Amino acid sequence: ACTIPKVFSCHTALNAWQSSAFGFPNSIIAIVFFSITLGIGLVGLVGRRGSNVVTKELRLVMQAISLLFLGFAFWYLAQSFFSIRSFCAYYLIGFAGLILVNDAWLREDVSQLPISRRDRKYLRHYIVKGADILGCLLIMVAVIYIILLRHRCP
């Protein structure tokens, strides 16, 4: 049977060892990551027009860090699903935000990714069509569906 408070229990999820995988709470990593990302985004937004305040190298480094963080988030999601058997709603909101941050970096850096010209053109074509946004939404819907299916929620 589905008991929403049991499925989405932050107390259970945050007391598991996986929630402190590096010896301190994962939420601290998330706060630092999102703060740095927000700071860089604001600098890029309010920077002088024509000046390259946020360099290509910085964007690519942030994209790489974002991808590593997304990989860690998928690991933690799998741990929450199979081992902890509980999900913190705050984590799921952060996970959705992380997917959107990765998509934003991809959209910003598509023309400078270290991939072949043909692959960049292919990727740019699908970004213009909105396929990246659809992909983000499908991932989020799939995660919610799997959680509800696992816990037999209607």
Side-chain angles (χ1 to χ4, degrees):
C2 176
T3 55
I4 295 297
K6 185 178 176 187
V7 173
F8 292 104
S9 169
C10 286
H11 178 74
T12 304
L14 294 176
N15 284 329
W17 71 266
Q18 294 91 334
S19 295
S20 298
F22 299 108
F24 52 88
N26 297 343
S27 56
I28 292 175
I29 299 170
I31 290 169
V32 169
F33 170 78
F34 283 116
S35 297
I36 290 171
T37 302
L38 178 64
I40 291 172
L42 288 174
V43 166
L45 184 66
V46 299
R48 296 165 65 204
R49 291 203 191 275
S51 68
N52 200 2
V53 178
V54 180
T55 65
K56 168 187 151 184
E57 292 79 15
L58 178 59
R59 287 194 318 268
L60 291 175
V61 165
M62 283 305 297
Q63 186 169 11
I65 291 170
S66 296
L67 285 170
L68 288 172
F69 196 42
L70 185 62
F72 177 75
F74 272 113
W75 171 81
Y76 187 73
L77 183 67
Q79 292 295 311
S80 295
F81 187 76
F82 295 110
S83 182
I84 302 169
R85 297 177 187 259
S86 182
F87 301 89
C88 183
Y90 298 120
Y91 166 74
L92 294 173
I93 291 168
F95 182 71
L98 185 58
I99 290 171
L100 295 175
V101 164
N102 273 278
D103 185 53
W105 284 122
L106 177 65
R107 284 177 157 257
E108 182 67 26
D109 295 336
V110 70
S111 63
Q112 298 164 352
L113 290 174
I115 57 177
S116 72
R117 181 175 291 166
R118 184 182 64 105
D119 290 342
R120 275 196 299 269
K121 184 179 176 185
Y122 175 79
L123 194 55
R124 194 176 304 115
H125 171 74
Y126 283 100
I127 287 173
V128 167
K129 298 268 186 195
D132 59 325
I133 296 171
L134 178 62
C136 291
L137 291 174
L138 287 175
I139 290 170
M140 292 179 209
V141 168
V143 166
I144 292 169
Y145 178 74
I146 290 168
I147 290 169
L148 296 177
L149 186 66
R150 168 84 166 93
H151 295 280
R152 296 184 182 92
C153 296

